[in-house]
Amino acid sequence: MKTKLALLLIGAGLVVSGYLVFQSNNPEAVVCSIGGGCETVLTSRYAKFLGMPVADFGLVWYLISLLLVWRIWIKKRWPVWFFRAWTTIGLVVSLYLLYLEKYVIHAYCTWCLVSLGLVGLLFILSFFTTREP
Amino acid sequence: MSSDGKFFIFVVIAAVAVLGGIIAFGGKNKTGNLSTTKVDTQTGQKLGPDSAPVKIVEVGDFQCPACALAATELRQAEEKNRNQVQVIYRHFPLPSHSNAVISALAAEAAGEQNKFWEMYDLLYARQQEWSSSSNPENIFVGYADSVGLDENRFLNDLKSDRLKARVESDKAYANSLGVNQTPTFYINDKQIIGVQSAEAWQKLIEEAKK
């Protein structure tokens, strides 16, 4: 059950981060909406890291999470602490991005916040589950 | 295969399908059939002659990064089609942008000295410089000086209730058209949402002239 829940969360994360990758790489697709803030965040200078959109790193993070769930819970090959360490990294980075949104960019991107929520739930799940779910 | 293994494959396929749908649907929204609305082309700041056969109404917010991107492309197309195109600007300062109203007022204050479009270009080109500033007024005064405005008059106009009412009236008009995102354009009454390249504008202008 926990494996399925983790997969659902990762699936949602893939959709959200994939959409943000699409937006980051297609500036002409960006519009500013009432109540929005994604455009400000995605076009700020903090939206890139090492020359790559931060959203791309998010998508890679979810893809690796998928691989970890496959190896740890479905194939039962790798130890569960791999996943715990991975979700901890994800949560720390997501919280840092939240800090940038709140205190530096002064705008929130709803989809980035949704991703933070998904990473947070995966983090909690990783500490509530064992190798044998 | 175990039920978790099947679920894994299902999630991967579902995620790819949903994402593909969102991207395809989002793309169509920008370039699909254009809706037509009768738009007022008499009110607003104008660039180009009233006799121009093509009227482009831009509903924008100076703090919106997409508008800044769109403005560069539109200005290129306008320059290439001088006397054929009139651009009319209407303000739509979004509530999520803290400096949107003051920047709209700065443009209107420049307009009082017939330099609206010079300020328009500066506000968009240097958007990153002022958009997160807690005191953008000082930056705008610098822009006013650089385009040769009377600084005192500019500062007075920046606080003018009359100009504030003009910006509010533009916003109310855009709301009445159902605008909820920027940039929104109307080319001879046909609505276009989002950034268009100079080439795309050229095609739209040619089409509108027919």
Side-chain angles (χ1 to χ4, degrees), chain A:
Chain A
M1 190 61 209
K2 281 172 186 165
T3 308
K4 285 193 173 72
L5 184 57
L7 284 171
L8 276 179
L9 293 171
I10 293 168
L14 285 172
V15 172
V16 169
S17 59
Y19 179 67
L20 288 170
V21 166
F22 171 71
Q23 291 251 302
S24 299
N25 291 291
N26 293 279
E28 66 278 7
V30 177
V31 287
C32 302
S33 312
I34 291 174
C38 273
E39 73 286 347
T40 308
V41 175
L42 292 179
T43 54
S44 76
R45 63 194 179 96
Y46 300 96
K48 285 198 170 181
F49 181 67
L50 299 175
M52 263 174 71
V54 170
D56 292 9
F57 289 96
L59 183 63
V60 170
W61 187 88
Y62 282 108
L63 286 171
I64 292 176
S65 300
L66 200 61
L67 172 79
L68 289 175
V69 168
W70 174 260
R71 297 299 292 177
I72 295 167
W73 284 291
I74 298 173
K75 289 290 172 189
K76 301 185 171 52
R77 297 272 164 82
W78 291 349
V80 74
W81 70 261
F82 269 33
F83 195 65
R84 288 178 183 156
W86 188 242
T87 57
T88 306
I89 293 169
L91 188 63
V92 169
V93 172
S94 297
L95 288 172
Y96 174 65
L97 295 176
L98 177 67
Y99 161 81
L100 287 179
E101 287 182 55
K102 183 168 168 57
Y103 295 105
V104 183
I105 307 170
H106 305 292
Y108 292 103
C109 170
T110 314
W111 292 111
C112 306
L113 297 178
V114 169
S115 178
L116 168 66
L118 292 169
V119 173
L121 288 172
L122 281 165
F123 171 80
I124 294 166
L125 197 64
S126 72
F127 282 88
F128 273 91
T129 189
T130 57
R131 191 189 174 102
E132 297 290 332

Side-chain angles (χ1 to χ4, degrees), chain B residues 78-94:
Chain B
E78 185 272 327
E79 272 171 32
K80 207 175 161 189
N81 296 276
R82 203 128 278 170
N83 298 323
Q84 295 294 303
V85 170
Q86 184 181 52
V87 180
I88 301 137
Y89 189 86
R90 304 298 294 261
H91 300 281
F92 194 64
L94 291 164

Side-chain angles (χ1 to χ4, degrees), chain B residues 78-146:
Chain B
E78 185 272 327
E79 272 171 32
K80 207 175 161 189
N81 296 276
R82 203 128 278 170
N83 298 323
Q84 295 294 303
V85 170
Q86 184 181 52
V87 180
I88 301 137
Y89 189 86
R90 304 298 294 261
H91 300 281
F92 194 64
L94 291 164
S96 54
H97 294 152
S98 55
N99 290 335
V101 171
I102 184 84
S103 58
L105 288 169
E108 284 297 328
E112 290 294 292
Q113 297 180 54
N114 298 317
K115 293 279 173 83
F116 176 87
W117 294 96
E118 287 81 350
M119 186 60 85
Y120 167 104
D121 287 339
L122 269 176
L123 288 170
Y124 277 142
R126 301 196 191 166
Q127 191 184 61
Q128 297 228 341
E129 196 172 79
W130 57 266
S131 61
S132 57
S133 167
S134 54
N135 188 10
E137 209 175 286
N138 287 343
I139 301 173
F140 297 154
V141 169
Y143 296 170
D145 286 340
S146 74

Side-chain angles (χ1 to χ4, degrees), chain B residues 176-197:
Chain B
S176 75
L177 291 174
V179 171
N180 57 16
Q181 48 195 355
T182 60
T184 294
F185 298 96
Y186 295 89
I187 178 164
N188 285 5
D189 297 333
K190 283 182 181 169
Q191 190 193 54
I192 304 161
I193 296 169
V195 182
Q196 306 296 314
S197 66

